[in-house]
Amino acid sequence: MSSASYELVLRNGRLLQLTDAPLSEAQPVDIAIESGQIVAMAPQIAAIGQSELDLKGKLVSPPFVESHVHLDSALTAGQPRWNQSGTLFEGIEIWRERKQDLSLEDVKERAIQTLKQQAMQGVLYVRSHADVSEANLVALKALLEVREQVKDWITLQVVAFPQDGIYGSSKNEALIEEALKLGVDGIGGIPHYELTREDGVKSVHRIFELAQQYDRLIDIHCDEIDDDNSRFLEVVIACAIRSELGSRVSASHTTAFGSYNNAYAYKLLGFLRRTQINFIVNPLINITLQGRTDTYPKRRGLTRVKELWQQGMNLSLGHDCVQDCWYSLGTGNMLDVASMLIHAAQMTGLDEIDACYNMVTWNGAKTLNLANQYGVEVGKPANLIVLDAANRFDAIRRRPPVSYVVSRGRLLASTETPVTQWNAP
Ligand code: FE2
């Protein structure tokens, strides 16, 4: 009997790949894992593992990436009251009340519970915003502690997010700088909610200055409104071109882009060719938040997804909220997000459906600037998921549970595929 060579060997999987590569998606592949790394991949690995898993031809995919969520408000729906209007602005009012009661333990407990819920469903990379327009920075400090606490099984990025605007009070600008000193991964903003247009423009410039000063990523809640005069994306584009920060910059939501007149929208699309900024789309929440002041026809609350994708921009997806004052639903399942995008943005062509799967995987990794640590390849960290699905289309159409989640080379979670017992009459 031969001795064990690897800690873990996954056998007989079918590898989902971004581009054509030596290992065909249709051929079975074995994956050997040692010390948290993928060390070998081949149609058949002869050496045995201390542990082995037979994947029975299931799909092996890199993990899902949650590009945009607010873990500080997660699991608070109904506290202290329900959002009856369903608008972003009533949500902000409710959160302003709820955040008076935040404690480190409260935020940490809900954040970790949400992260577990996400990880069980194959999400191993998460970018969370933390509200930094509250005097004690409780949400931020809690999420920084959580980032450390969970690092052995999930990667969490924390973005300093001034929910009430950088210039919404005399204290907020100092608070966001304090957040940078405390070690956030990125800096955010909300120019369309600043008190004036001028404040909004100033806030975007300040964000870019601070990002350069502290060497951090940028992720701005940008034009999340139906107002076709909300035009802060152009300011983000201008700052991105001049700063050359490119792919370190993300514009989240940009729902007003869907309301701009075509002459203006196509001018912006032209400018975007000179940047490499990422767009983060949150279709579950924005299809419910936006269009609330419309009679009929009602807008869908989405940016120009198809046009941006056709132009080769990097788009990735987020839940935005999981059971809070802005969105009381949500499960953390990224296939739900991809499915909603396909419907709401009419991304129904076969290549478009595949692209929506890529938005919750590879594109998300690009948005988060994960560089070389993402992907199922020899030499990379052994983070992967196993789906009982034939391909991307099938995965999104049926949204089966993730059979196995392997994180840092260990089996983090496994879920049985439900079996229905049909009793014929
Ligand atoms: Fe958000």
Side-chain angles (χ1 to χ4, degrees):
M1 185 178 163
S2 61
S3 59
S5 298
Y6 299 115
E7 287 171 8
L8 175 63
V9 177
L10 310 177
R11 299 213 183 268
N12 194 24
R14 284 183 305 107
L15 186 64
L16 198 58
Q17 296 175 94
L18 187 56
T19 50
D20 289 337
L23 292 163
S24 159
E25 213 168 277
Q27 299 299 318
V29 65
D30 292 354
I31 301 170
I33 293 166
E34 186 76 31
S35 303
Q37 301 281 312
I38 297 172
V39 291
M41 291 173 67
Q44 278 192 320
I45 292 175
I48 61 167
Q50 293 161 30
S51 298
E52 297 215 356
L53 270 180
D54 182 1
L55 305 186
K56 298 175 181 166
K58 291 179 183 175
L59 212 53
V60 177
S61 167
F64 294 130
V65 180
E66 166 57 84
S67 295
H68 186 126
V69 72
H70 295 253
L71 291 175
D72 51 359
S73 59
L75 312 183
T76 61
Q79 301 171 7
R81 60 194 166 85
W82 204 257
N83 184 340
Q84 290 296 346
S85 70
T87 59
L88 172 72
F89 301 115
E90 186 176 347
I92 292 175
E93 292 305 317
I94 295 170
W95 176 239
R96 194 171 288 143
E97 294 170 38
R98 177 60 175 84
K99 72 185 176 189
Q100 306 308 317
D101 299 329
L102 292 182
S103 69
L104 284 176
E105 283 316 307
D106 166 39
V107 177
K108 283 166 62 178
E109 199 178 306
R110 288 184 288 97
I112 290 174
Q113 196 182 333
T114 308
L115 287 167
K116 281 184 184 167
Q117 201 174 313
Q118 291 168 316
M120 283 177 216
Q121 300 177 92
V123 178
L124 291 180
Y125 301 93
V126 174
R127 174 179 285 176
S128 174
H129 294 258
D131 186 358
V132 293
S133 46
E134 169 271 310
N136 299 313
L137 295 179
V138 174
L140 176 86
K141 289 172 184 168
L143 290 187
L144 291 177
E145 284 186 30
V146 169
R147 182 179 69 182
E148 184 63 21
Q149 213 170 317
V150 302
K151 67 179 182 189
D152 290 338
W153 53 275
I154 194 165
T155 300
L156 174 61
Q157 282 187 353
V158 180
V159 175
F161 171 53
Q163 176 71 78
D164 299 332
I166 294 179
Y167 303 109
S169 88
S170 58
K171 301 188 178 82
N172 288 0
E173 189 180 6
L175 285 169
I176 203 164
E177 191 156 3
E178 195 182 333
L180 288 160
K181 289 176 182 159
L182 286 171
V184 288
D185 301 280
I187 175 169
I190 185 165
H192 57 278
Y193 193 62
E194 295 286 353
L195 294 170
T196 66
R197 158 85 195 168
E198 289 73 19
D199 285 352
V201 172
K202 192 166 95 172
S203 75
V204 174
H205 286 283
R206 186 68 181 134
I207 289 162
F208 273 79
E209 275 171 17
L210 287 167
Q212 287 177 297
Q213 187 182 338
Y214 288 88
D215 190 23
R216 305 297 157 82
L217 300 171
I218 293 173
D219 188 341
I220 299 175
H221 284 63
C222 190
D223 301 317
E224 188 187 7
I225 190 166
D226 294 319
D227 176 9
D228 58 352
N229 285 309
S230 182
R231 295 183 171 186
F232 297 102
L233 178 59
E234 68 179 19
V235 186
V236 172
I237 293 170
C239 288
I241 290 172
R242 288 196 281 263
S243 67
E244 298 182 2
L245 285 178
S247 59
R248 291 174 63 81
V249 178
S250 296
S252 282
H253 299 290
T254 61
T255 56
F257 203 168
S259 294
Y260 298 155
N261 66 70
N262 279 348
Y264 177 67
Y266 280 85
K267 182 185 83 167
L268 278 192
L269 286 166
F271 287 166
L272 280 167
R273 289 194 193 99
R274 295 160 60 187
T275 78
Q276 289 182 301
I277 70 172
N278 310 294
F279 281 83
I280 302 174
V281 188
N282 301 285
L284 285 173
I285 185 166
N286 281 129
I287 203 164
T288 67
L289 281 181
Q290 313 307 135
R292 291 282 179 161
T293 56
D294 290 354
T295 52
Y296 288 92
K298 279 183 183 288
R299 282 168 286 182
R300 292 169 181 233
L302 284 176
T303 193
R304 297 199 180 209
V305 172
K306 193 171 291 203
E307 289 77 5
L308 289 166
W309 172 70
Q310 285 170 339
Q311 191 167 293
M313 302 304 297
N314 187 55
L315 291 119
S316 65
L317 310 186
H319 246 75
D320 200 6
C321 298
V322 179
Q323 298 174 60
D324 69 9
C325 50
W326 291 279
Y327 185 63
S328 58
L329 304 160
T331 60
N333 185 330
M334 294 311 294
L335 291 176
D336 284 352
V337 184
S339 174
M340 178 56 79
L341 187 74
I342 287 167
H343 290 81
Q346 299 178 326
M347 293 282 285
T348 50
L350 266 183
D351 54 341
E352 293 170 348
I353 291 173
D354 283 356
C356 291
Y357 186 93
N358 295 345
M359 290 179 197
V360 294
T361 47
W362 286 275
N363 295 17
K366 200 169 168 190
T367 297
L368 268 61
N369 279 238
L370 295 175
N372 295 329
Q373 56 172 299
Y374 186 83
V376 185
E377 294 169 36
V378 172
K380 291 197 171 173
N383 299 322
L384 58 88
I385 61 175
V386 178
L387 281 163
D388 191 1
N391 47 37
R392 289 167 169 85
F393 171 84
D394 189 41
I396 296 179
R397 188 185 72 80
R398 293 190 299 110
R399 302 186 293 289
V402 175
S403 302
Y404 301 112
V405 181
V406 173
S407 170
R408 283 66 167 157
R410 293 187 302 267
L411 182 60
L412 180 68
S414 51
T415 305
E416 298 274 336
T417 303
V419 178
T420 302
Q421 183 74 41
W422 174 254
N423 299 312

